[in-house]
């Protein structure tokens, strides 16, 4: 009986140890942004590929202080950027971006084609 109890406890411990803690944060799903339609929350600067139909092939999101976020698009034909505060909207060519919320530690953004 003692061996059975020890085996059970060992298996339970291994199962719990292999499961990430509920508070562990996942990074934003940047692959979903390739087509220009996504909602992400970032806690540090990120850069990801973007469909060339927007005139850019890479988009970068970076903080510029505690209440602003800078979204930059770069590609073979040049670059552009927009700086937004919480609730602000902007466009980069025909890609719309909305800063849903910005706090000291994170920024939530949505992207969508404008046409």
């Amino acid at each position: 009986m003692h061996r059975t109890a020890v085996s059970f406890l060992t298996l339970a411990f291994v199962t719990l140890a292999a499961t990430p803690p509920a508070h562990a944060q996942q990074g934003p799903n940047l692959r979903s942004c390739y087509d220009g339609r996504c909602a992400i929350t970032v806690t540090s600067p990120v850069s990801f590929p973007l469909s060339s139909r927007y005139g850019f092939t890479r988009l970068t999101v970076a903080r510029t202080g505690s209440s602003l976020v800078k979204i930059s698009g770069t590609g073979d034909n040049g670059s552009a950027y927009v700086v937004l505060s919480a609730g602000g909207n902007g466009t980069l060519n025909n890609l719309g971006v909305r800063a849903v919320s910005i706090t000291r530690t994170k920024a939530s953004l949505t992207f969508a084609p404008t046409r």
Side-chain angles (χ1 to χ4, degrees):
M1 180 88 169
H2 179 66
R3 285 186 184 172
T4 304
V6 171
S7 296
F8 175 74
L9 290 175
T10 302
L11 288 174
F13 177 76
V14 170
T15 303
L16 291 174
T19 305
H23 65 277
Q25 290 189 355
Q26 298 276 331
N29 181 5
L30 300 177
R31 288 183 183 179
S32 69
C33 292
Y34 180 79
D35 68 352
R37 294 179 187 275
C38 67
I40 59 173
T41 298
V42 297
T43 57
S44 61
V46 296
S47 183
F48 51 91
L50 183 69
S51 172
S52 61
R53 76 181 208 170
Y54 298 105
F56 306 111
T57 54
R58 180 153 294 283
L59 212 60
T60 302
V61 177
R63 302 290 302 254
T64 60
S66 62
S67 62
L68 299 173
V69 66
K70 179 179 178 181
I71 300 96
S72 307
T74 57
D76 293 338
N77 296 327
S79 64
Y81 71 91
V82 62
V83 177
L84 301 174
S85 60
N89 296 298
T91 58
L92 294 167
N93 289 345
N94 59 341
L95 177 66
V97 60
R98 181 170 193 277
V100 176
S101 68
I102 300 173
T103 67
R104 240 185 51 221
T105 58
K106 63 185 175 181
S108 296
L109 308 167
T110 58
F111 295 91
T114 56
R115 47 183 152 151

